[in-house]
Amino acid sequence: MDQEQARAWLATAVAEARTGLAEGGIPIGAALYGPDGTLLGRGHNRRVQDDDPSMHAETAAFRAAGRQRTYRGTTMVTTLSPCWYCSGLVRQFGISRVVIGEAVTFRGGHDWLAGHGVEIVLLEDPGCVELMRAFIENDPALWNEDIGE
């Protein structure tokens, strides 16, 4: 995938992450793009806001996209390496590619996804790293709750 396109799509996920943080939640954002580059859905982690442990950013973007006949050829863009739960969603529905803002602060299941044929584009975006580092430093208890520690 073209790096310029990946970074442009990441901007949508970053905007979602910042919205989540402003709402008092965890700053992780995601967007699901169709094979033709159409934005199908976007969302952010809403575990705190909705009191719903399943409302991760990727889940929110996936739900916002609504039913699709197939997810083959789609791209999930996320500000942070997807956890096992979200990695399972990608595999379950056959999402073809995952663009990841960063995997410095949290290394999720993207290696496992790559091993199962999902294209991984890891950007290691400094802005995404800084956003998560600041959040983890300011609210370590909430972060540990989010990752199940």
Side-chain angles (χ1 to χ4, degrees):
M1 175 178 200
D2 175 85
Q3 291 283 310
E4 188 176 323
Q5 183 66 66
R7 290 190 183 282
W9 288 358
L10 179 62
T12 302
V14 169
E16 286 292 329
R18 293 191 185 289
T19 296
L21 182 62
E23 294 172 352
I26 298 160
I28 303 170
L32 184 64
Y33 284 88
D36 64 354
T38 301
L39 177 61
L40 301 174
R42 59 190 289 170
H44 52 275
N45 185 303
R46 297 194 51 84
R47 293 181 68 253
V48 173
Q49 299 91 315
D50 295 350
D51 195 28
D52 179 353
S54 70
M55 192 46 76
H56 290 204
E58 297 87 344
T59 306
F62 183 74
R63 286 181 179 176
R67 277 180 61 201
Q68 305 293 316
R69 190 184 71 70
T70 182
Y71 294 90
R72 303 270 179 234
T74 62
T75 300
M76 180 65 77
V77 183
T78 180
T79 57
L80 185 64
S81 179
C83 69
W84 288 109
Y85 170 68
C86 295
S87 294
L89 180 145
V90 168
R91 278 282 288 141
Q92 174 71 31
F93 292 96
I95 294 170
S96 300
R97 179 187 303 129
V98 179
V99 173
I100 301 166
E102 66 105 345
V104 173
T105 61
F106 178 77
R107 190 162 189 92
H110 69 264
D111 290 331
W112 175 78
L113 287 170
H116 285 87
V118 177
E119 180 186 350
I120 301 297
V121 179
L122 181 55
L123 299 174
E124 296 299 16
D125 180 78
C128 289
V129 174
E130 180 53 37
L131 183 64
M132 283 309 300
R133 279 191 175 147
F135 173 75
I136 293 166
E137 182 178 318
N138 291 331
D139 203 337
L142 183 55
W143 172 242
N144 286 332
E145 175 191 324
D146 191 61
I147 60 173
E149 290 190 8

